[in-house]
Amino acid sequence: MIRLDRLLVNMKFGSRKEVQDLIKNGEVYVNGKIETKKDRKLNPTNDKVVVLGEELYYKDEIILAVNKPIGYLSANIDPMHPVIIDLLKEPYHRHDFKIAGRLDLDSQGLLILTTSGHTVHEITNPNKKIVKTYEVTTDEIIDIKMLNRLLEPIKILDGNNDSYITKALEVKLLSDKMALISLDEGKFHQVKRMFRAIGYEVINLKRIKIGKYLMPNIK
Ligand code: URA
């Protein structure tokens, strides 16, 4: 149960004072009746709340699979670049989403956004070994023998530029310059650095799977 004024602040209808004014002015309906008590307790998953004509969409947890375009930052706010949160449409614009595992600015594909810190932890905690799959386009034709070297321990740099030994769980050649790679780790620029270690520059990187989540529109 949550107080009506607290719910409306959480759902970004304004400051405590502003939402209390909305309630006092008869702009808020609960289950079809005007509610003027700011401390009315309700259960937002069952009780229907309408504010200024807008019905609240509320769930205890929301998980979204979002297709990040190139040029968007995996962030909630940024002064320089568009951010993934900018792409959220109604009814999700009223929720606070956390990003479960980032992608580089010039990468694209699957990002999981969730309102639950627990889900973020389940996806991003390295101990959970969640498998992520990427579709990689390289600058040059891929030699299958080189690609298969990614299945053996290989040295790259991690986010602190310390050397780090890693290997892929799976690789698959898709075409001359395209391959799939699956990893259960997520070091900084890991896929690009692994391909660089075998002599290729990644010119396009698209994440298509994170654990049980698939990119939208992919079967
Ligand atoms: N590996 C990379 O190099 N970049 C990403 O965005 C994700 C994985």
Side-chain angles (χ1 to χ4, degrees), residues 102-104 107 134 187-193 205 207:
R102 281 150 210 282
L103 282 172
D104 297 336
S107 300
Y134 301 86
K187 297 284 178 202
F188 185 60
H189 294 337
Q190 183 158 356
V191 173
K192 291 175 189 156
R193 287 177 175 184
L205 182 57
R207 183 158 60 199

Side-chain angles (χ1 to χ4, degrees), residues 36-93:
T36 51
K37 288 204 265 339
K38 62 185 180 193
D39 59 354
R40 157 80 189 262
K41 291 273 189 355
L42 50 86
N43 175 350
T45 32
N46 297 332
D47 293 316
K48 179 172 148 186
V49 180
V50 177
V51 184
L52 293 166
E54 177 185 336
E55 183 177 342
L56 289 200
Y57 175 81
Y58 183 92
K59 297 262 182 274
D60 286 337
E61 177 175 6
I62 303 173
I63 302 178
L64 300 178
V66 176
N67 185 359
K68 179 184 110 56
I70 291 171
Y72 276 72
L73 264 193
S74 309
N76 291 65
I77 185 156
D78 187 79
M80 298 253 297
H81 299 285
V83 295
I84 195 71
I85 300 293
D86 295 342
L87 296 177
L88 296 182
K89 304 228 162 61
E90 276 184 47
Y92 303 117
H93 63 302

